[in-house]
Amino acid sequence: MTERRSIPVNLITGFLGVGKSTAIRHLLESAPKSERWAVLVNEFGQVAVDPAALDTGAGSDRVTIRELPGGCLCCVLGAPLRVTLTRLIREVRPDRLLIEPSGIGHPARVLDTLRGEGLGSVLDVRATVCLVDPRQLQDRRVSEHPVFRDQVELADVLVANKQDLADAETLAGFHAWAMGQFPPKARVAGVSHGWIKLPWLDVETDSARRAHFPHLHDEVDAAVREPEVSFKAPPPARPVRLPSAGQGLQACGWIFSPDDSFDRVRLLHMLAALDGPSRIKGVFHCGRDWLLVDRVGETLQHRACAWRRDSRVELLATAGEAPDWDDIERLLLDCLQRQKADNRDTLHGNRSVSP
């Protein structure tokens, strides 16, 4: 690796659906115009959607986004992480690097890798920022989860995101909990819509931070995935399906032809009405527009995006609670604009959900 000044690198962590990609997107928009930034995104499933969420339209000369789908950085992607980072640094020579592990990714091994032999000589590990939805502190499935606890423990900056959706009592509870962390956090803050501030990336770090569960993923079941698939853009109405499973989760993703166009209203109704998935992320070609869709629990959000490569979607569910993937694929195909389905009113029976 060519010798050069150390590259600042930040981990942006947080549990599933907390808004990490939105926060990184805002950081990219705030980055100095004279600097070249790079982002490495890891998603549990095999279909990477976060690059679409991070696409600001700023141009490849200022922002480079790479993805490592299909597992978590801390275990099954250990070697690919080092290889990808080495290649990214050589090819892009970024002024700053942001890394977004998956929502179930344990940060300890990632930090060890960044500080370890080879990478440690060219990377300057700066503040780890952890986003928390303060409402999740009331959900023991999250608040007592070992990954969540260590994401918080290893964070230098602890941020209550989505504070506009939390009531005053919930926010007060978050701040009391956050201020009680030891070692103390360098900064505790609250934001809405992921608007974390650029200077927070460079606050003082604390080497005394230690994971409570450093060996959590030593023997965890690696994500079970289909053999790696190399393919050209799929033909219209014949998407590629890529399922995966592991760590108590099941996921399935689809990649559609860029020529496939979805009926916007029908698509949003369908995605809002689905039972089973705890998370849905997708980008869809809808006529003249491209739509980024994000559903956490029962809340569905959507916005226009700059992505133009293809339509793709990933669904995540707790193991044993996943819907039938064949049914999901049929529902997606029925939303294509070329199919003005006669059974529009009967697809979901009598169910009706507003997008």
Side-chain angles (χ1 to χ4, degrees):
M1 196 176 296
T2 303
E3 287 189 354
R4 54 158 295 167
R5 64 181 179 81
S6 295
I7 301 168
V9 56
N10 299 89
L11 234 59
I12 310 297
T13 68
F15 214 65
L16 295 164
V18 77
K20 298 185 296 296
S21 297
T22 301
I24 292 176
R25 185 171 183 270
H26 291 319
L27 286 173
L28 297 178
E29 292 172 341
S30 304
K33 305 301 181 187
S34 60
E35 293 186 0
R36 181 187 299 112
W37 284 32
V39 183
L40 180 63
V41 180
N42 172 223
E43 297 181 71
F44 176 82
Q46 292 221 77
V47 175
V49 179
D50 280 348
L54 295 175
D55 193 340
T56 65
S60 58
D61 57 328
R62 288 188 50 231
V63 177
T64 299
I65 300 170
R66 299 281 171 84
E67 62 266 9
L68 274 174
C72 61
L73 292 177
C74 55
C75 43
V76 297
L77 294 178
L81 170 62
R82 288 188 291 272
V83 171
T84 300
L85 282 175
T86 300
R87 186 175 301 158
L88 182 61
I89 292 167
R90 285 174 172 168
E91 294 176 357
V92 179
R93 302 177 66 85
D95 294 291
R96 186 178 292 268
L97 171 64
L98 303 179
I99 299 179
E100 179 193 349
S102 73
I104 58 169
H106 195 289
R109 282 190 180 177
V110 182
L111 289 168
D112 288 344
T113 300
L114 299 178
R115 293 172 174 142
E117 184 178 355
L119 290 173
S121 63
V122 295
L123 295 177
D124 175 13
V125 180
R126 302 283 180 91
T128 294
V129 181
C130 178
L131 277 71
V132 175
D133 183 336
R135 299 169 298 174
Q136 290 182 331
L137 295 180
Q138 302 168 7
D139 184 348
R140 295 179 62 181
R141 293 172 300 178
V142 176
S143 63
E144 297 182 4
H145 197 291
V147 168
F148 173 84
R149 291 176 60 185
D150 275 351
Q151 287 173 346
V152 172
E153 183 66 26
L154 294 172
D156 300 292
V157 179
L158 194 55
V159 181
N161 192 27
K162 303 185 179 182
Q163 64 174 3
D164 55 313
L165 302 178
D167 58 33
E169 182 179 358
T170 299
L171 290 175
F174 165 83
H175 283 283
W177 166 81
M179 297 305 294
Q181 299 294 317
F182 186 84
K185 301 305 177 188
R187 178 175 289 275
V188 173
V191 301
S192 298
H193 311 294
W195 281 105
I196 61 178
K197 298 184 183 299
L198 208 59
W200 298 352
L201 298 180
D202 297 319
V203 304
E204 186 177 356
T205 61
D206 189 340
S207 59
R209 304 192 192 284
R210 294 289 184 271
H212 290 302
F213 309 95
H215 304 296
L216 179 65
H217 282 188
D218 283 357
E219 298 181 3
V220 76
D221 53 321
V224 178
R225 303 183 299 276
E226 296 296 316
E228 185 173 348
V229 179
S230 177
F231 58 87
K232 298 180 181 179
R238 297 190 64 183
V240 172
R241 184 200 299 189
L242 296 171
S244 55
Q247 302 178 43
L249 297 172
Q250 290 178 267
C252 192
W254 288 264
I255 299 176
F256 287 80
S257 166
D259 295 327
D260 282 332
S261 181
F262 290 81
D263 182 293
R264 182 178 183 274
V265 173
R266 186 173 179 79
L267 175 70
L268 293 175
H269 273 80
M270 186 274 289
L271 294 176
L274 283 180
D275 286 330
S278 57
R279 186 76 196 278
I280 300 173
K281 293 189 294 183
V283 58
F284 297 93
H285 179 203
C286 298
R288 296 180 180 179
D289 302 318
W290 288 75
L291 200 65
L292 181 71
V293 177
D294 190 350
R295 183 181 130 180
V296 181
E298 302 301 321
T299 304
L300 179 71
Q301 297 180 319
H302 55 88
R303 64 169 175 83
C305 67
W307 181 266
R308 294 294 184 272
R309 189 188 306 174
D310 50 39
S311 294
R312 52 180 56 204
V313 62
E314 182 86 26
L315 281 73
L316 189 67
T318 302
E321 299 179 7
D324 186 292
W325 301 134
D326 289 333
D327 288 344
I328 299 299
E329 184 168 316
R330 177 181 61 83
L331 292 173
L332 288 167
L333 289 170
D334 283 347
C335 290
L336 291 177
Q337 283 190 347
R338 68 175 186 81
Q339 295 186 9
K340 301 299 183 180
D342 294 331
N343 63 339
R344 177 183 297 267
D345 295 328
T346 61
L347 182 61
H348 302 298
N350 294 322
R351 300 174 65 181
S352 177
V353 178
S354 298

